[in-house]
Amino acid sequence: MKLKENIDFIDFIKKIKTCKGDVYFCTLEGDRLNLKSVLSQYIFSANSQDKSMIRDGWIECETEEDLNALEIYKKI
């Protein structure tokens, strides 16, 4: 799923922590950041100022349940 613009990254990370499976932020370059990892969360947050990275990237979840839980952050 694509992320909508101007999400609250702190709330987004808190919601990810409640997910049962891994949640990945994927980029066009082929990078996959596991957002359940604190290091990956730091990298994701630091790069979140790059609007093109957020616009062009997408979220992948291991479970459908987790994808549904993150639906509020989905770009329409």
Side-chain angles (χ1 to χ4, degrees):
M1 82 175 187
K2 293 278 194 171
L3 289 174
K4 62 183 173 181
E5 293 182 26
N6 301 321
I7 65 169
D8 183 332
F9 285 101
I10 294 171
D11 286 340
F12 180 61
I13 296 299
K14 285 180 182 178
K15 189 69 170 178
I16 287 171
K17 289 180 181 181
T18 67
C19 291
K20 292 183 169 87
D22 287 332
V23 177
Y24 298 96
F25 180 77
C26 304
T27 68
L28 291 175
E29 291 80 21
D31 299 316
R32 290 184 73 191
L33 294 174
N34 183 342
L35 296 178
K36 300 272 303 237
S37 157
V38 175
L39 177 59
S40 291
Q41 290 171 3
Y42 176 77
I43 293 167
F44 177 73
S45 296
N47 288 311
S48 66
Q49 299 304 313
D50 180 359
K51 299 297 181 191
S52 66
M53 182 191 83
I54 301 300
R55 182 185 64 238
D56 296 337
W58 63 94
I59 298 294
E60 290 181 359
C61 298
E62 287 188 329
T63 71
E64 190 71 27
E65 181 182 346
D66 292 341
L67 190 59
N68 291 336
L70 298 174
E71 189 78 18
I72 60 172
Y73 302 102
K74 182 179 181 180
K75 183 176 182 177
I76 299 174

